[in-house]
Amino acid sequence: MKLDKDYILRMVNDLVKSIAHIILGKSEIEYALPDKNEYDKVDYLYVRLLEMSNNGHINEAENLLFDEINTSDMRQFEMAMSFYLHLNDFGDDFLEKNDFSREEISEGIKGICKEFNLSTMVEFLF
């Protein structure tokens, strides 16, 4: 069972790296926050998503992400992928305790790609 979960963890990380390379032309995805006094709406959303998920409100954070995402801004795509990488860094016990799974992380990534009309481009990665 541990081997299956490790495989899914690596698969999610590799998936996001592949998306970063194909869609954003980057080798890695890492949404970088500016100095706090320079935050914009997207930065505040990202911080809120991280805080919510860190406090175990993962489903609520994901719902907020899908409610607030602006699909005309690729910076928000990178922010969303960073959010899912953040979730993927949680241990299995934390995810399970908070009613979330690695499979749901993969589904969320697919959902964001669909929102940005990128699902056909990255479909082969799944």
Side-chain angles (χ1 to χ4, degrees):
M1 189 68 157
K2 171 94 168 112
L3 187 61
D4 289 341
K5 291 181 180 185
D6 287 344
Y7 172 75
I8 294 170
L9 188 141
R10 284 191 316 275
M11 183 187 75
V12 168
N13 282 330
D14 291 345
L15 174 66
V16 173
K17 284 181 182 182
S18 297
I19 291 169
H21 183 71
I22 293 168
I23 306 300
L24 301 171
K26 296 181 172 187
S27 60
E28 298 283 334
I29 285 186
E30 184 177 339
Y31 186 79
L33 288 167
D35 290 334
K36 193 169 185 170
N37 61 345
E38 297 176 13
Y39 280 12
D40 63 12
K41 183 179 177 182
V42 180
D43 300 325
Y44 282 112
L45 174 60
Y46 185 59
V47 168
R48 188 164 175 212
L49 294 171
L50 297 182
E51 288 174 352
M52 290 174 74
S53 60
N54 290 344
N55 290 322
H57 305 288
I58 302 171
N59 287 299
E60 294 88 344
E62 185 178 47
N63 291 341
L64 178 63
L65 172 66
F66 277 89
D67 288 344
E68 298 290 324
I69 199 85
N70 175 353
T71 58
S72 65
D73 181 359
M74 289 308 287
R75 186 170 155 249
Q76 292 194 33
F77 178 79
E78 184 170 13
M79 180 269 297
M81 292 296 108
S82 292
F83 168 69
Y84 283 108
L85 283 177
H86 178 75
L87 296 183
N88 201 45
D89 285 341
F90 287 130
D92 294 328
D93 291 341
F94 182 83
L95 290 173
E96 288 175 25
K97 177 183 171 189
N98 293 291
D99 196 30
F100 215 76
S101 68
R102 299 220 183 272
E103 291 82 7
E104 287 176 287
I105 295 170
S106 294
E107 291 301 315
I109 292 168
K110 290 178 191 177
I112 288 295
C113 289
K114 183 177 179 181
E115 291 291 317
F116 279 83
N117 294 315
L118 300 171
S119 55
T120 55
M121 190 180 295
V122 296
E123 196 171 87
F124 71 95
L125 296 173
F126 291 97

